[in-house]
Amino acid sequence: MASVIHFTIATVAEESPDFRRVLWTGENTQLVVMTIPPGGEIGEEVHEDIDQILTFVSGVGEAKVGGATKKVAQGDLVVVPAGTKHNFLNTGPNPLVLYTVYGPPEHADGAVHHTKEEADAAEESGEDEPPTGN
């Protein structure tokens, strides 16, 4: 019998100071928490074969998805379909905290990147590759 995997997700997200922390990776999805510092951003990107759902826990920012821009705040959820250009920016004075679900996984299982620069370097070096052979 499988055990219950449980997170008090808003609390876990709020307590993580890291830019990106992978909490759980399954065969078809992945749960990640992110903290974007004031003035920071995720960075414009496209996930060709990956859908993404982002839920905002605290802070304020902008979601830029498919050429449209929308303000985001606590309680908002944004869907990014596979193949859609997107970016999320922190426009407030406090960290923009969120959790996101990727389907299929996008990052290395258990990855922790303290800063965006560290995350970018891990992606460029191939260190942040999702599990294969699923």
Side-chain angles (χ1 to χ4, degrees), residues 103-116:
E106 167 69 359
H107 299 287
D109 188 26
V112 176
H113 302 120
H114 303 294
T115 64
K116 179 175 178 4

Side-chain angles (χ1 to χ4, degrees), residues 80-100:
V80 180
T84 305
K85 186 184 294 186
H86 60 281
N87 192 6
F88 294 88
L89 301 91
N90 183 342
T91 60
N94 299 311
L96 179 61
V97 179
L98 63 104
Y99 62 93
T100 183

Side-chain angles (χ1 to χ4, degrees), residues 10-129:
T11 303
V12 171
E14 280 282 351
E15 291 176 350
S16 176
D18 301 309
F19 176 74
R20 180 168 49 227
R21 176 178 293 271
V22 175
L23 292 182
W24 180 82
T25 301
E27 185 174 335
N28 300 303
T29 57
Q30 184 173 63
L31 176 62
V32 176
V33 293
M34 296 187 74
T35 300
I36 304 168
E41 63 181 284
I42 289 176
E44 191 172 86
E45 59 187 0
V46 176
H47 306 298
E48 291 299 337
D49 300 315
I50 298 171
D51 292 322
Q52 187 175 9
I53 299 169
L54 302 95
T55 303
F56 296 86
V57 174
S58 64
V60 294
E62 285 184 350
K64 295 185 175 191
V65 180
T69 300
K70 176 87 173 150
K71 291 183 183 204
V72 293
Q74 179 181 1
D76 288 345
L77 183 145
V78 176
V79 174
V80 180
T84 305
K85 186 184 294 186
H86 60 281
N87 192 6
F88 294 88
L89 301 91
N90 183 342
T91 60
N94 299 311
L96 179 61
V97 179
L98 63 104
Y99 62 93
T100 183
V101 176
Y102 294 96
E106 167 69 359
H107 299 287
D109 188 26
V112 176
H113 302 120
H114 303 294
T115 64
K116 179 175 178 4
E117 293 75 22
E118 188 177 301
D120 289 346
E123 287 179 16
E124 289 172 19
S125 72
E127 185 181 310
D128 186 35
E129 291 297 316

